[in-house]
């Protein structure tokens, strides 16, 4: 996936403890990975304290950690990625739980239904309360630990547990115990996380929500400033749950060199592979890195492409051809870490056009068609990236420098090197630690092609746009079948009735069977009423047949993708 691909921290407390405790520390050429995981009970206690639901406890001194040592790179042309400087060992205090992550588009979270999700391998539930605000709790009732996401939203907007009916406010306070007990008891408080809405997305930070119920500090949310500009058109919003790691997703989306080959025949072609020698990383800092490809995609046909990675969640490519070609485009991908070996990709593709009629045409385009097309594009590298991840882990990705795992001699690999350097040097190797053999055990066995190409559970089931479209297309298919059959039946019945009344069928039939087709047509044409009725019924039947056929071909795309074969060999292409 790439800018052209999609069509028009760790559990930490106040002092910086990190996700992944119980795992051994890594040092040497790779990042020194400090394992200091806090238990779920500790997180719950901190949330209760912040929400005003229990007395504060004194943090231990062992939670202190030093800030990371950062690498900075000037804006000279990047050398081949194989020779690029690798991250030095560091004791990172990067707190994965202290960052905002987008979870879902607002339109995909039903107003009257809890929305369960897994973020950084932690179960969460999101819902809209009685005040119209989105709230987030840990998806476990403190009573018997069943998922609150299986419950319901009470009439007052509180979240009710499905098991025994306990109810909770957005701050986690328990307000109802139908079987008896003290709802104000400290252990009755559910863990509440920070939750906010920005640019049509619901964001979550796995830190305790403000105890006074106020809005949390959202200054760290990685938004797209262009979406706040009315000259820009919000377009191409979609998401998909993917069966490979968030780091694999980011590494794939920043890689421009794969597009003409992986996506040949869909949104690119091998012949458009251009020159990458001028691709360079301009800056490496704690936030991530900036880069530029002056030539740009399609052999320079679109102009320079600027790339920005804002860790740990956002990758964006920008092509500004506004003056030269009348448009500018951003492809932004949010990589949301779900669990080892699983992530959610949230894609946004805003445009800016000189011609103000073009945005109107974009708005008329059904959004579900874009979702179907983007799912097909994601299918094109989904299978081999899932398999690549296993091989990378077996070869020590994260334990060794990336240059010892990948052989990357070209300038087109500069961004991959820059991302992996940031991941090792600043982010402690990732939310799950280095990608080693223990990572494979946590990620689980490799999935089948049918599982990897599953569109329904990975997208359609929880996408409001695709669910609505699927329902209407099913209705259209049924309606087309009924109307088409009715048109054939009514037309045939009218013909028989008129022939019987006029005595005309025999000459027409004899003309067809004993004479010529032209004579038969002339005999039928001699009856104006029959001609008009036959024409109308025939037209209706033909149109409904086309509608039915389109529906029949489109519906399976909501459920399952197709495996790319021979790398999308296009019609008429015989060369490998």
């Amino acid at each position: 996936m790439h800018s052209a691909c999609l069509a028009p921290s760790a559990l930490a407390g106040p002092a910086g403890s990190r996700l992944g405790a119980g795992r051994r520390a890594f040092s040497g050429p790779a990042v020194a990975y400090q394992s200091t995981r806090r238990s779920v009970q500790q997180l719950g206690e901190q949330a209760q304290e912040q929400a005003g639901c229990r007395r504060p406890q004194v943090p231990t001194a062992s939670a202190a950690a030093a800030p990371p040592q950062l690498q900075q790179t000037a804006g000279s042309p990047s050398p081949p990625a194989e020779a690029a400087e690798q991250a030095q060992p560091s004791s990172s205090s990067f707190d994965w739980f202290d960052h905002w992550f987008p979870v879902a588009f607002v339109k995909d979270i039903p107003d009257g239904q809890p929305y369960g999700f897994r973020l950084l391998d932690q179960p969460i539930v999101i819902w809209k309360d009685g005040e119209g605000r989105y709230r987030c709790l840990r998806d476990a009732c403190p009573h018997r630990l069943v998922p609150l996401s299986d419950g319901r939203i009470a009439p007052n907007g509180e979240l009710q547990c499905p098991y025994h009916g306990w109810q909770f406010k957005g701050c986690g306070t328990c307000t109802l115990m139908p079987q008896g007990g003290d709802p104000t008891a400290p252990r009755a408080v559910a863990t509440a996380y920070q939750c906010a809405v920005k640019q049509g997305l619901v964001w979550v930070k796995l830190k305790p929500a403000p105890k006074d119920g106020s809005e949390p500090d959202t200054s760290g949310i990685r938004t797209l400033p262009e979406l706040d500009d009315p000259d820009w058109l919000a377009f191409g919003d979609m998401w998909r749950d993917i069966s490979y790691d968030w780091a694999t997703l980011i590494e794939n989306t920043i890689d421009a060199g794969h597009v003409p080959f992986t996506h040949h025949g869909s949104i690119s072609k091998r012949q458009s592979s251009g020159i990458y020698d001028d691709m360079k990383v301009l800056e490496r800092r704690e936030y991530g890195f900036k880069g530029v490809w002056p030539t740009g995609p399609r052999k320079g046909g679109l102009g320079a492409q600027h790339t920005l990675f804002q860790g740990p969640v956002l990758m964006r490519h920008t092509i500004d051809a506004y003056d030269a070609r009348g448009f500018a485009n951003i492809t932004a991908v949010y990589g949301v870490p779900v669990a080892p070996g699983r992530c959610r990709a949230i894609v946004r593709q805003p445009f800016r056009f000189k011609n103000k009629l073009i945005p109107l045409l974009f708005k008329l385009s059904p959004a579900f068609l874009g979702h179907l097309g983007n799912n097909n594009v994601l299918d094109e590298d989904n299978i081999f990236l899932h398999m690549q991840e296993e091989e990378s882990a077996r070869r020590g990705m994260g334990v060794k420098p990336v240059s010892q795992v990948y052989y990357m001699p070209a300038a087109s690999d500069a961004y991959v090197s820059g991302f992996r350097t940031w991941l090792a040097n600043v982010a402690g190797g990732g939310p799950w630690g280095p990608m080693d053999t223990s990572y494979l055990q946590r990620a689980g066995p490799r999935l089948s092609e049918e599982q990897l190409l599953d569109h329904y559970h990975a997208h359609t089931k929880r996408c409001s746009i695709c669910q609505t479209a699927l329902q209407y297309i099913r209705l259209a298919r049924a309606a087309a079948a009924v109307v088409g059959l009715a048109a054939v039946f009514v037309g045939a019945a009218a013909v028989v009735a008129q022939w019987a009344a006029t005595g005309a069928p025999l000459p027409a039939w004899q003309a067809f069977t004993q004479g010529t087709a032209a004579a038969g047509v002339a005999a039928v044409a001699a009856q104006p009423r029959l001609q008009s009725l036959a024409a109308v019924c025939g037209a209706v039947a033909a149109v409904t047949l086309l509608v039915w056929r389109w529906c029949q071909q489109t519906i399976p795309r909501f459920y399952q993708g197709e495996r790319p074969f021979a790398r999308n060999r296009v019609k008429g292409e015989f060369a490998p």
Side-chain angles (χ1 to χ4, degrees):
M1 192 170 61
H2 181 260
S3 63
C5 289
L6 300 174
S9 218
L11 184 59
S17 57
R18 306 181 64 254
L19 177 68
R23 306 184 191 123
R24 55 200 173 100
F26 292 87
S27 59
V31 64
Y33 180 71
Q34 297 179 334
S35 55
T36 56
R37 184 184 182 111
R38 178 187 302 156
S39 67
V40 170
Q41 179 182 1
Q42 287 175 293
L43 180 62
E45 291 173 353
Q46 186 188 16
Q48 292 162 1
E49 171 193 334
Q50 295 291 333
C53 301
R54 65 178 287 118
R55 296 177 181 175
Q57 298 185 10
V58 178
T60 61
S62 60
Q69 300 297 319
L70 306 179
Q71 298 286 331
Q72 299 184 3
T73 302
S76 56
S78 295
E82 179 69 17
E85 180 181 0
Q86 301 300 319
Q88 297 300 316
S90 68
S91 178
S92 174
S93 63
F94 192 87
D95 184 355
W96 283 86
F97 276 39
D98 198 26
H99 290 267
W100 287 96
F101 292 91
V103 171
F105 289 101
V106 170
K107 61 178 176 282
D108 291 328
I109 299 182
D111 286 347
Q113 182 179 334
Y115 187 93
F117 190 68
R118 199 165 191 89
L119 177 62
L120 289 167
D121 211 14
Q122 305 300 310
I124 61 174
V125 57
I126 298 169
W127 83 101
K128 183 189 284 188
D129 67 9
E131 300 177 356
R133 293 178 55 186
Y134 286 91
R135 304 286 192 167
C136 180
L137 298 180
R138 186 175 183 84
D139 196 11
C141 178
H143 179 208
R144 299 274 285 277
L145 304 181
V146 302
L148 292 170
S149 57
D150 283 337
R152 73 182 188 102
I153 300 175
N156 64 356
E158 294 178 355
L159 188 59
Q160 186 178 83
C161 177
Y163 203 6
H164 297 90
W166 287 27
Q167 285 187 194
F168 302 92
K169 292 183 177 181
C171 71
T173 301
C174 182
T175 62
L176 178 65
M177 292 181 177
Q179 296 77 21
D182 180 11
T184 65
R187 293 190 63 189
V189 179
T191 302
Y193 298 122
Q194 297 181 29
C195 187
V197 174
K198 287 283 187 181
Q199 295 186 338
L201 287 167
V202 177
W203 300 74
V204 172
K205 181 196 285 190
L206 295 180
K207 288 291 186 179
K211 62 182 180 180
D212 59 359
S214 62
E215 293 284 350
D217 178 12
T218 60
S219 59
I221 291 181
R222 305 296 197 184
T223 58
L224 302 178
E226 291 82 357
L227 288 178
D228 297 325
D229 185 341
D231 286 342
W232 283 78
L233 170 69
F235 185 79
D237 289 351
M238 75 90 67
W239 61 271
R240 177 167 169 177
D241 292 328
I242 301 177
S243 294
Y244 51 75
D245 195 63
W246 78 276
T248 304
L249 172 67
I250 297 295
E251 182 182 286
N252 172 248
T253 57
I254 62 177
D255 175 18
H258 84 284
V259 177
F261 298 92
T262 299
H263 305 296
H264 172 70
S266 57
I267 46 84
S268 187
K269 55 184 179 180
R270 286 187 278 267
Q271 293 85 344
S272 67
S273 180
I275 299 172
Y276 302 93
D277 291 346
D278 55 351
M279 181 179 288
K280 55 190 174 184
V281 174
L282 299 176
E283 177 181 80
R284 290 190 181 104
R285 295 187 183 275
E286 182 178 10
Y287 71 81
F289 69 87
K290 294 179 181 178
V292 64
W293 181 18
T295 299
R298 300 186 184 179
K299 296 184 177 180
L302 300 178
Q305 177 175 280
H306 296 266
T307 297
L308 172 65
F309 170 66
Q310 291 180 297
V313 67
L314 174 62
M315 186 291 312
R316 53 173 285 173
H317 296 300
T318 304
I319 294 177
D320 188 356
Y322 190 79
D323 294 330
R325 305 193 61 172
F327 81 95
N329 166 248
I330 296 169
T331 294
V333 178
Y334 291 100
V336 184
V338 173
R342 288 189 292 144
C343 72
R344 171 169 286 188
I346 296 179
V347 182
R348 316 200 77 167
Q349 294 180 285
F351 278 86
R352 182 183 177 215
F353 295 101
K354 277 187 178 180
N355 188 333
K356 301 307 178 184
L357 293 179
I358 297 179
L360 297 178
L361 298 177
F362 272 55
K363 292 178 181 179
L364 293 175
S365 174
F368 78 89
L369 292 178
H371 289 204
L372 294 177
N374 288 343
N375 271 322
N376 288 345
V377 173
L378 288 167
D379 288 340
E380 291 172 347
D381 43 23
N382 191 19
I383 296 174
F384 64 67
L385 289 178
H386 181 73
M387 300 305 172
Q388 174 217 27
E389 198 166 85
E390 179 180 30
E391 185 67 16
S392 298
R394 294 191 183 282
R395 296 196 180 205
M397 178 64 75
V399 180
K400 302 176 182 178
V402 66
S403 62
Q404 294 183 19
V405 180
Y406 294 158
Y407 174 58
M408 300 187 295
S412 61
D413 293 314
Y415 294 167
V416 175
S417 178
F419 167 66
R420 288 292 177 179
T421 297
W422 175 88
L423 186 62
N425 196 46
V426 177
W432 335 116
M435 187 185 289
D436 60 357
T437 53
S438 68
Y439 164 87
L440 288 179
Q441 295 175 353
R442 287 172 280 144
R446 300 295 89 183
L447 303 181
S448 67
E449 290 186 2
E450 290 73 18
Q451 291 172 310
L452 293 172
L453 297 174
D454 179 3
H455 289 180
Y456 185 77
H457 294 94
H459 175 76
T460 304
K461 185 178 180 180
R462 306 186 83 178
C463 174
S464 60
I465 290 175
C466 289
Q467 271 293 309
T468 301
L470 182 58
Q471 293 174 8
Y472 281 121
I473 292 174
R474 283 172 172 164
L475 289 174
R477 180 179 62 175
V482 171
V483 172
L485 291 175
V488 172
F489 176 79
V490 171
V495 168
V496 171
Q498 184 165 338
W499 279 355
T502 62
L506 185 58
W509 175 255
Q510 290 176 343
F512 274 116
T513 57
Q514 300 176 9
T516 64
V521 171
V524 173
Q527 306 172 52
R529 294 175 60 189
L530 175 61
Q531 181 183 17
S532 299
L533 182 60
V536 171
C537 290
V540 171
V543 171
T544 54
L545 175 62
L546 292 175
V547 172
W548 181 89
R549 182 180 180 184
W550 179 85
C551 294
Q552 189 73 1
Q553 293 175 340
T554 301
I555 288 175
R557 297 176 63 190
F558 288 97
Y559 290 91
Q560 194 74 17
E562 296 183 358
R563 192 192 200 288
F565 183 72
R567 301 322 310 156
N568 297 316
R569 180 170 293 173
V570 298
K571 184 177 181 180
E573 181 190 16
F574 56 88

